[in-house]
Amino acid sequence: MSHRETIVRGQPAVELSARTGDRLVVALHGGHLLSWQDADGTERLYLSPTALFDGRSAIRGGVPICFPQFNQRGPLPKHGFARNLPWTFAGETAPDAWTLRLTDSDATRAFWPERFGLDLTLSVPRAGVLRIALQVANTGAAPWSFTAALHTYLRVDELADARLLGLQGAPCWDAVRDARATETRDAIGFGEEFDSVYGAPAQPLLLRQPRGDLHIASSPDCPQTVVWNPGPALCARLADMPADGWRHMLCVEAAAIDAPVELAPGAATVLWQQLDARPSSSPTA
């Protein structure tokens, strides 16, 4: 059986089993990927042990879907509404690929009047490789625009030992300091609050840590990469994170946020992120 219904902290979810041995768990609330364990049982995503699972609030960790607004860049609730509503599980739509769906409804039109369809497809093309693809379709008669992100929380054993490579030379807006610059570091380390929006490089990023490397690629329709960690001071103020949670996670997000994406009636686009934990894929760096 490639999938089975389950309950996670009181909320309906689906456990997905790939033939590669990789295992995923996705909550119907928010179409929210909660867990990815590769074939050797290593958990690659961070889920806060104090995350809210009340069927209304956004879940802290995993891969929240930000749509149709990123953060507070507009009039909608922070990060839009897709992460706060129930999605429908459409089943295995291709070998080792499963789709969840959200369409416009009275609940979405209370926030946003547009007609739309979202398909979130989680696929395991090879052992140790996960692709998260969000198809956004305009099903209405008028054009509209949106911003979006795959707000991926990656698990790290100890943040002080982690480095992110591949952003050297990228334009950057440091949201903590409200400063714009070009990234000069070859390897970025972390310790205090970090919140930066980068121009996405053409080549995959590399998250290097003792547990093993992780390559992070995104689609051309995601022209920004957001890197975020709350650091100790902000984390202590987050009710849905333990005080030391910042030490065990790093958000590296595939995003389309600086310029709204325009969709004509009947048009669609796909935003994706691919996580590759295969040891043989790691270059010398």
Side-chain angles (χ1 to χ4, degrees), residues 21-32:
D22 294 72
R23 176 180 163 276
L24 314 176
V25 180
V26 58
L28 297 185
H29 177 68
H32 195 122

Side-chain angles (χ1 to χ4, degrees), residues 47-260:
L47 179 64
S48 171
T50 56
L52 294 175
F53 277 75
D54 58 10
R56 300 182 305 276
S57 307
I59 299 169
R60 176 76 68 182
V63 186
I65 304 299
C66 303
F67 175 91
Q69 175 185 297
F70 180 78
N71 208 327
Q72 295 171 307
R73 299 184 179 197
L76 298 177
K78 184 177 181 179
H79 288 320
F81 51 74
R83 64 180 188 158
N84 298 91
L85 294 175
W87 290 50
T88 300
F89 180 63
E92 188 172 16
T93 50
D96 287 344
W98 304 266
T99 297
L100 292 95
R101 187 162 293 141
L102 179 70
T103 57
D104 59 273
S105 65
D106 289 344
T108 68
R109 286 189 288 274
F111 299 102
W112 198 53
E114 312 301 350
R115 304 283 177 165
F116 71 91
L118 299 181
D119 275 5
L120 178 70
T121 298
L122 308 170
S123 60
V124 182
R126 294 173 295 281
V129 179
L130 171 65
R131 178 170 288 217
I132 307 161
L134 180 69
Q135 177 179 279
V136 181
N138 182 346
T139 60
W144 45 258
S145 62
F146 71 94
T147 55
L150 300 171
H151 197 322
T152 306
Y153 285 69
L154 300 172
R155 172 172 285 279
V156 297
D157 293 326
E158 178 55 63
L159 187 66
D161 298 330
R163 297 291 183 271
L164 186 63
L165 291 79
L167 287 167
Q168 188 176 36
C172 172
W173 175 55
D174 182 336
V176 177
R177 298 167 181 81
D178 190 19
R180 295 186 181 274
T182 297
E183 181 59 67
T184 59
R185 291 167 291 183
D186 174 56
I188 302 171
F190 306 92
E192 299 301 320
E193 182 180 359
F194 193 100
D195 189 357
S196 291
V197 179
Y198 290 92
Q203 299 302 313
L205 305 180
L206 173 64
L207 178 61
R208 172 146 286 172
Q209 60 170 323
R211 72 157 51 194
D213 293 345
L214 183 71
H215 286 261
I216 307 162
S218 59
S219 63
D221 287 333
C222 292
Q224 284 81 48
T225 296
V226 181
V227 182
W228 179 71
N229 181 278
L234 176 57
C235 192
R237 301 196 298 270
L238 297 176
D240 57 355
M241 282 271 281
D244 69 343
W246 66 277
R247 293 174 48 195
H248 305 296
M249 53 72 61
L250 181 68
C251 285
V252 181
E253 310 169 34
I257 57 176
D258 279 355

